[in-house]
Amino acid sequence: GQNIDQPTEMTATEGAIVQINCTYQTSGFNGLFWYQQHAGEAPTFLSYNVLDGLEEKGRFSSFLSRSKGYSYLLLKELQMKDSASYLCAVMDSNYQLIWGAGTKLIIKP
Amino acid sequence: TAGITQAPTSQILAAGRSMTLRCTQDMRHNAMYWYRQDLGLGLRLIHYSNTAGTTGKGEVPDGYSVSRANTDDFPLTLASAVPSQTSVYFCASSDSGPDTQYFGPGTRLTVL
């Protein structure tokens, strides 16, 4: 079967760094996406990785290792507005997105 | 630009009644999707359409139907609602299948 695993909840301090992990087992791989979802709102696109390595975009970076079926999202200089759920999704061989349940990130002052 | 709009924002529906959730995008995207999001679960694909005139079944299609008469609109119909269809429904679109998906604001549906 297809499976995406990520922690249910994480807590971090304002100004710090946090890493959210995602492991996956899917039928085929056509890229991995990270989305941010604030409570009561729609998911919004953060990053896309299809090749191994690190993609940096401002305070957010995303890493992919296809051989390990592993990705992480790194958030630096955390701000209160970063409190949200972070969703990991893998595009399978049929170009359908398989979604993890999301990681709720709580930022404390 | 508006992007993707969904209507209604929320709805309470009696079991056994039918309902159509509306989704419209103005980005001229070819592909559109309907997902449901339930607490503790990932987004689950209900139906999708890769281009106007075609539709396909996702992971959880039972009890739902869709149509894609034109590029912009992708309505989702519940023929006879059941309480297990209580959920938040998101419509999304992408330029094509492999591209980034962009989401509408969602419809919160409660079936009693």
Side-chain angles (χ1 to χ4, degrees):
Chain A
Q2 307 203 93
N3 195 49
I4 311 286
D5 285 319
Q6 47 181 135
T8 302
E9 186 174 297
M10 299 181 70
T11 302
T13 304
E14 189 177 15
I17 299 172
V18 70
Q19 177 175 312
I20 302 173
N21 296 325
C22 171
T23 58
Y24 63 89
Q25 289 180 308
T26 56
S27 56
F29 180 85
N30 282 298
L32 186 143
F33 294 79
W34 283 96
Y35 281 75
Q36 181 189 60
Q37 185 177 26
H38 285 100
E41 298 183 7
T44 56
F45 170 73
L46 285 178
S47 68
Y48 171 68
N49 294 69
V50 67
L51 300 176
D52 289 351
L54 188 69
E55 294 279 344
E56 297 186 80
K57 191 186 294 185
R59 294 189 299 114
F60 292 7
S61 302
S62 56
F63 172 83
L64 174 67
S65 169
R66 288 173 297 172
S67 63
K68 296 182 178 178
Y70 168 70
S71 172
Y72 67 73
L73 181 69
L74 191 71
L75 291 73
K76 304 175 185 176
E77 302 171 12
L78 286 170
Q79 302 176 10
M80 297 304 292
K81 67 179 181 180
D82 298 329
S83 292
S85 289
Y86 291 86
L87 314 181
C88 173
V90 172
M91 186 163 282
D92 69 9
S93 56
N94 295 317
Y95 296 102
Q96 302 293 350
L97 282 177
I98 310 301
W99 295 82
T103 298
K104 182 178 181 180
L105 178 63
I106 299 168
I107 310 296
K108 295 186 175 180
Chain B
T1 61
I4 303 180
T5 58
Q6 292 184 236
T9 302
S10 64
Q11 182 75 44
I12 299 174
L13 187 66
R17 301 296 295 269
S18 67
M19 178 164 186
T20 295
L21 308 185
R22 299 185 299 278
C23 175
T24 299
Q25 54 105 358
D26 64 2
M27 297 177 284
R28 307 304 293 172
H29 282 171
N30 288 308
M32 296 187 75
Y33 313 85
W34 274 106
Y35 292 94
R36 59 177 291 172
Q37 187 174 41
D38 302 291
L39 197 62
L41 299 177
L43 288 159
R44 292 183 291 168
L45 183 65
I46 304 171
H47 285 287
Y48 65 93
S49 168
N50 287 330
T51 189
T54 69
T55 63
K57 294 182 180 180
E59 179 187 355
V60 289
D62 294 344
Y64 307 94
S65 63
V66 292
S67 62
R68 186 88 184 278
N70 56 60
T71 298
D72 298 344
D73 301 299
F74 191 43
L76 176 74
T77 298
L78 289 69
S80 179
V82 295
S84 62
Q85 291 178 311
T86 293
S87 188
V88 180
Y89 291 86
F90 286 103
C91 179
S93 72
S94 65
D95 193 24
S96 67
D99 291 326
T100 300
Q101 295 183 16
Y102 297 92
F103 285 78
T107 294
R108 184 174 297 274
L109 179 66
T110 302
V111 182
L112 300 175

